[in-house]
Amino acid sequence: MVKNQLVGEKTLIAFATKGGVTEEAACVIASVLREKQGFEVDVVNLRENPSPDLTQYKNIVLGSGVRMGKWYKQSLKFLENNFQNKNVVLFLSSCTAGDSETHDEAITKYIDDVLAKYPHIKPVAAEAFGGRMKMLGKVVKDNCDIDKIRVWAEEVGKKLT
Ligand SMILES: Cc1cc2nc3c(=O)[nH]c(=O)nc-3n(C[C@H](O)[C@H](O)[C@H](O)COP(=O)(O)O)c2cc1C
């Protein structure tokens, strides 16, 4: 059941994807927040709408894929927004993050080092999940774990207002 939330209290999930995994993750997080926690959630693809109006939202969940050691540029640009008085949550899709041996390395490189450049952002939660890599149309690596994302989204929902 979706709560009838006041204007300015909705949740935005904004994402950038190339291969589709970050969009899948965004949709799973949205359905958990709607169905388990009753949040009113909008999902926005930043390639289609790079500057959504943030005044409607109390909670901002930002997702990005990672390629060649970098976040996608639309998500990086989105970090320049003013998030004052909003809860910010970050998630990434990264094949480095999806392997347990290299997960912590991915957190350091793709979350801690990136956030160091945006000291105004203090996320209430941030996580990097696995991804899916295709070469010449064939899947060469797939460590995407949708169940892990679902469990995380439930915990995140408890921290949001
Ligand atoms: C050309 C290419 C480069 C990649 N480079 C990286 C990388 O540097 N680090 C990493 O963790 N994953 C890397 N990956 C894996 C992506 O993180 C994975 O494909 C993820 O699903 C991307 O998110 P998306 O599906 O939403 O685009 C790369 C994948 C491709 C196809």
Side-chain angles (χ1 to χ4, degrees), residues 16-23 65-70 72 93-97 110 131-135:
T17 186
K18 289 184 181 169
V21 171
T22 311
E23 182 164 17
V66 166
R67 281 192 183 180
M68 313 302 275
K70 291 192 172 133
Y72 297 153
S93 309
S94 143
C95 281
T96 306
Y110 302 132
R132 189 179 306 121
M133 203 180 320
K134 280 187 185 172
M135 297 278 180

Side-chain angles (χ1 to χ4, degrees), residues 60-80:
I60 310 280
V61 182
L62 172 64
S64 181
V66 166
R67 281 192 183 180
M68 313 302 275
K70 291 192 172 133
W71 286 39
Y72 297 153
K73 62 174 187 284
Q74 295 85 359
S75 297
L76 213 47
K77 179 87 188 146
F78 190 83
L79 286 180
E80 292 170 14

Side-chain angles (χ1 to χ4, degrees), residues 2 19 25 43 53 128:
V2 174
V43 180
D53 172 13

Side-chain angles (χ1 to χ4, degrees), residues 11 33 39 59-61 87-89 124 155-161:
T11 297
L33 295 181
F39 288 110
N59 302 313
I60 310 280
V61 182
N87 299 311
V88 176
V89 174
V124 297
E155 290 308 309
V156 167
K158 291 176 195 163
K159 296 182 187 171
L160 300 179
T161 47

Side-chain angles (χ1 to χ4, degrees), residues 8-143:
E9 296 193 349
K10 294 202 298 177
T11 297
L12 174 70
I13 303 183
F15 68 90
T17 186
K18 289 184 181 169
V21 171
T22 311
E23 182 164 17
E24 285 173 41
C27 292
V28 166
I29 295 165
S31 60
V32 168
L33 295 181
R34 284 183 189 123
E35 287 156 27
K36 300 264 180 186
Q37 265 100 7
F39 288 110
E40 196 174 342
V41 182
D42 294 332
V43 180
V44 167
N45 183 335
L46 291 172
R47 275 166 190 266
E48 294 162 6
N49 180 4
S51 310
D53 172 13
L54 301 189
T55 55
Q56 314 172 56
Y57 302 105
K58 178 70 181 171
N59 302 313
I60 310 280
V61 182
L62 172 64
S64 181
V66 166
R67 281 192 183 180
M68 313 302 275
K70 291 192 172 133
W71 286 39
Y72 297 153
K73 62 174 187 284
Q74 295 85 359
S75 297
L76 213 47
K77 179 87 188 146
F78 190 83
L79 286 180
E80 292 170 14
N81 278 295
N82 179 358
F83 298 115
Q84 207 175 9
N85 300 323
K86 298 183 192 296
N87 299 311
V88 176
V89 174
L90 303 175
F91 71 95
L92 299 178
S93 309
S94 143
C95 281
T96 306
D99 286 341
S100 53
E101 310 79 58
T102 50
H103 173 264
D104 291 355
E105 182 191 310
I107 296 288
T108 303
K109 186 169 175 188
Y110 302 132
I111 294 183
D112 298 343
D113 291 357
V114 171
L115 284 181
K117 296 179 191 135
Y118 299 86
H120 66 293
I121 300 176
K122 307 269 180 236
V124 297
E127 186 53 279
F129 299 100
R132 189 179 306 121
M133 203 180 320
K134 280 187 185 172
M135 297 278 180
L136 302 171
K138 281 201 166 170
V139 176
V140 292
K141 187 163 179 84
D142 186 351
N143 56 17

